[in-house]
Amino acid sequence: MMTASKFFAVAALATVASFGAQADEADGSQFAVQFNSTRSVAEVRAEAAAKVKTHSQEPAGSRVAATVQSSTDRATVRAQAADAVRLGQIPRGEASYM
């Protein structure tokens, strides 16, 4: 069982530790950055305007490939797949994951 003196010692230590965690300035001014640019505002605006005109809103690879027309009917493809499985040319069931 903890005695009262140990309890107060732990509370005092926690209080002192919490003051150390709040040693920051209220406005966060230590994070202010001084920045000197070598380019003019007009150059930056012109570059931004050119980028907007040439930028594509479509992500790369988002187009769907065109449908390929096949001369083989579905029944023929299914029969060929069944033959390939029977001959062991392609795996079947869970064996395909190995």
Side-chain angles (χ1 to χ4, degrees), residues 64-91:
V64 176
T67 305
V68 177
Q69 296 298 324
S70 175
S71 60
T72 310
D73 66 338
R74 182 179 299 230
T76 305
V77 172
R78 291 179 66 98
Q80 289 173 350
D83 289 340
V85 168
R86 195 171 323 123
L87 296 172
Q89 294 172 341
I90 57 174

Side-chain angles (χ1 to χ4, degrees), residues 7-93:
F7 178 74
F8 288 120
V10 170
L13 182 63
T15 304
V16 170
S18 69
F19 284 120
Q22 298 175 1
D24 187 19
E25 293 183 22
D27 63 351
S29 62
Q30 74 270 19
F31 297 113
V33 177
Q34 295 294 326
F35 185 77
N36 295 322
S37 176
T38 58
R39 298 171 59 193
S40 69
V41 173
E43 287 177 314
V44 174
R45 286 186 179 164
E47 183 181 341
K51 178 66 177 173
V52 168
K53 289 180 184 175
T54 60
H55 182 71
S56 174
Q57 294 294 330
E58 181 178 300
S62 65
R63 290 191 179 242
V64 176
T67 305
V68 177
Q69 296 298 324
S70 175
S71 60
T72 310
D73 66 338
R74 182 179 299 230
T76 305
V77 172
R78 291 179 66 98
Q80 289 173 350
D83 289 340
V85 168
R86 195 171 323 123
L87 296 172
Q89 294 172 341
I90 57 174
R92 176 176 173 251

